[in-house]
């Protein structure tokens, strides 16, 4: 290889001019290092770190609706899931044939001004109305990616949420929430762990407000017979106590009912040809919801079957509580 040498001389700069050039070079280098190593953050955006082993093997962070960051999981079998970091919300679960078994409402907004309406929103640290905003604050906050991995072609990601000024304005406690999502060929599993990182005890309630894509008039749920019920129809503020006597619970109109001490496995016939097993560990209760004509534009296209912990969970400092959900289609 030939070596080419070139020589040239720079013009002589006056000391004042030289100092000005040096300042410009310093500012340029500073900005370069800032952009390279610190990154540029858009207001309110959560940035994520994904392990190199998982990147390219089924876990990637990309831009979603409203330019919000989302995690996309893709299994070796072709199933796929999407999780928005805003709210830590799973918004899509597609099996290998491309069919999405979750539902996002057409009125959902992706601008951080309200929770994402659909998928699997979090209710924490409060389920329903109460001393703070409806269903708590976890679905209104940015989660971050803690880690990710690949298990034999099945992608796994763990999200993290910690307290901040927004949460403390409503609930003055220090906590850590970890949310692990595991995608398989015909299933998606979640594991929620709440840890008390404060120096005083606290209590909370929680739920996964899962929206399933369905033909509401043909959908039904098995496994609830014998449960004590709190029926919020017709008066949500004064639920009627009862007992579920039906083997198969349907959605003939407005439905908003809590099932206490529910079985750890329910079966949803979505009325569209799929039977979905809804298994859980430590989610002691269940909730069925369909708004009927209150949401004329979309009520026919979904039903909510929610795993919940209606009664308060009490945690002392450093204690943790974990609940799992496993959705699978046959």
């Amino acid at each position: 290889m030939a070596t080419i040498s070139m020589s040239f001389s720079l013009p002589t700069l006056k000391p004042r001019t030289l100092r000005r050039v040096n300042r410009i070079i310093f500012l340029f280098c500073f900005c370069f290092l800032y952009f390279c190593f610190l990154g540029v953050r858009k207001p309110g955006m959560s940035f994520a770190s994904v392990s190199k082993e998982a990147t390219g093997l089924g876990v990637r962070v990309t831009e979603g609706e409203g330019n919000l960051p989302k995690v996309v999981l893709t299994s070796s079998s072709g199933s796929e899931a999407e999780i928005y970091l805003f709210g830590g919300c799973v918004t899509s679960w597609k099996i290998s044939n491309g069919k999405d078994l979750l539902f996002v409402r057409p009125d959902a907004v992706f601008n951080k001004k309200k929770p994402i309406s659909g998928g699997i929103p979090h209710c924490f640290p409060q389920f329903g109305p109460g001393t703070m905003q409806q269903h708590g604050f976890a679905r209104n906050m940015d989660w971050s990616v803690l880690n990710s991995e690949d298990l034999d072609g099945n992608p796994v990601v763990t999200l993290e949420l910690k307290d901040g000024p927004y949460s403390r304005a409503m609930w003055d406690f220090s906590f850590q929430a970890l949310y692990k999502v595991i995608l398989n060929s015909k299933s998606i599993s979640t594991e929620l762990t709440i840890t008390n990182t404060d120096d005083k005890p606290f209590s909370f309630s929680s739920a996964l407000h899962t929206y399933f894509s369905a033909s509401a008039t043909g959908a039904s749920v098995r496994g609830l017979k014998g449960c004590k019920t709190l029926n919020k129809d017709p008066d949500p503020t004064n639920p009627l106590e009862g007992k579920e006597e039906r083997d198969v619970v349907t959605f003939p109109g407005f439905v908003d009912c809590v099932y206490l001490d529910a079985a750890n496995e329910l079966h949803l016939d979505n009325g569209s040809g799929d039977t979905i097993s809804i298994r859980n560990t430590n989610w002691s209760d269940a909730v069925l919801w369909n708004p009927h004509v209150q949401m004329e534009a979309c009520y026919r296209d979904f039903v909510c079957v929610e795993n919940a912990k209606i009664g308060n969970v009490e945690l002392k400092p450093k204690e943790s509580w974990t609940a799992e959900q496993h959705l699978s289609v046959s």
Side-chain angles (χ1 to χ4, degrees), residues 29-52:
C29 293
F30 176 82
C31 291
F32 176 81
L33 291 172
Y34 178 84
F35 281 100
C36 287
F37 295 102
L38 298 181
V40 180
R41 297 194 175 202
K42 296 179 180 179
M45 178 175 284
S46 290
F47 277 74
S49 59
V50 181
S51 66
K52 292 181 179 179

Side-chain angles (χ1 to χ4, degrees), residues 6 23 63 193 243 258 270:
M6 299 178 65
R23 284 197 298 269
E63 201 171 73
T193 300
K243 182 179 180 180
V258 173
N270 65 10

Side-chain angles (χ1 to χ4, degrees), residues 124-125 131-133 136-138 141 161-176 195-202:
F124 173 84
T131 57
M132 66 187 79
Q133 64 190 22
F137 50 70
M141 295 181 68
L161 179 68
K162 292 184 175 181
D163 56 283
Y166 177 77
S167 68
R168 282 186 169 273
M170 289 175 270
W171 195 64
D172 193 18
F173 297 101
S174 177
F175 70 92
Q176 180 197 49
T195 300
N196 183 346
T197 58
D198 211 313
D199 58 4
K200 54 186 179 292
F202 63 61

Side-chain angles (χ1 to χ4, degrees), residues 242-254:
K243 182 179 180 180
E244 183 56 73
E245 303 289 352
R246 295 170 292 179
D247 290 314
V248 180
V249 181
T250 57
F251 298 83
F254 177 80

Side-chain angles (χ1 to χ4, degrees), residues 45-285:
M45 178 175 284
S46 290
F47 277 74
S49 59
V50 181
S51 66
K52 292 181 179 179
E53 292 76 16
T55 303
L57 290 176
V59 180
R60 59 189 175 92
V61 178
T62 186
E63 201 171 73
E65 296 286 337
N67 299 321
L68 297 181
K70 68 178 179 180
V71 181
V72 179
L73 307 181
T74 306
S75 75
S76 58
S77 65
S79 59
E80 186 175 276
E82 296 182 358
I83 312 157
Y84 277 78
L85 296 186
F86 178 67
C89 186
V90 180
T91 55
S92 176
W93 166 38
K94 295 179 181 177
I95 52 180
S96 57
N97 64 8
K99 187 175 186 179
D100 202 332
L101 297 172
L102 299 181
F103 182 80
V104 175
R105 284 166 26 193
D107 62 339
V109 295
F110 294 80
N111 58 11
K112 294 190 176 184
K113 293 183 179 179
K114 59 181 293 188
I116 297 172
S117 301
I120 310 179
H122 289 276
C123 303
F124 173 84
Q126 174 185 287
F127 175 76
T131 57
M132 66 187 79
Q133 64 190 22
Q134 176 87 354
H135 293 322
F137 50 70
R139 61 185 189 152
N140 294 73
M141 295 181 68
D142 285 322
W143 297 57
S144 60
V145 176
L146 184 66
N147 57 56
S148 60
E149 58 185 314
D150 183 273
L151 299 176
D152 300 323
N154 299 315
V156 182
V157 67
T158 300
L159 306 186
E160 181 183 43
L161 179 68
K162 292 184 175 181
D163 56 283
Y166 177 77
S167 68
R168 282 186 169 273
M170 289 175 270
W171 195 64
D172 193 18
F173 297 101
S174 177
F175 70 92
Q176 180 197 49
L178 297 179
Y179 189 51
K180 180 185 287 187
V181 182
I182 306 168
L183 180 67
N184 286 274
S185 60
K186 291 187 176 182
S187 68
I188 186 169
S189 302
T190 63
E191 178 183 285
L192 178 64
T193 300
I194 306 297
T195 300
N196 183 346
T197 58
D198 211 313
D199 58 4
K200 54 186 179 292
F202 63 61
S203 62
F204 66 90
S205 57
S206 186
L208 296 178
H209 198 315
T210 308
Y211 288 69
F212 290 97
S213 180
S215 172
T217 55
S220 62
V221 178
R222 293 179 178 270
L224 294 168
K225 185 176 182 179
C227 289
K228 180 181 177 180
T229 59
L230 299 175
N231 195 339
K232 298 182 181 182
D233 180 27
D235 183 3
T237 63
N238 187 29
L240 299 174
E241 294 187 13
K243 182 179 180 180
E244 183 56 73
E245 303 289 352
R246 295 170 292 179
D247 290 314
V248 180
V249 181
T250 57
F251 298 83
F254 177 80
V255 174
D256 190 358
C257 190
V258 173
Y259 293 81
L260 300 176
D261 298 320
N264 60 12
E265 183 172 14
L266 305 177
H267 290 94
L268 167 66
D269 180 342
N270 65 10
S272 301
D274 306 293
T275 299
I276 300 171
S277 167
I278 304 169
R279 290 193 289 113
N280 83 86
T281 301
N282 219 22
W283 290 110
S284 57
D285 312 302

Side-chain angles (χ1 to χ4, degrees), residues 282-296:
N282 219 22
W283 290 110
S284 57
D285 312 302
V287 181
L288 301 189
W289 181 67
N290 181 273
H292 200 50
V293 293
Q294 292 179 9
M295 294 183 184
E296 178 66 33

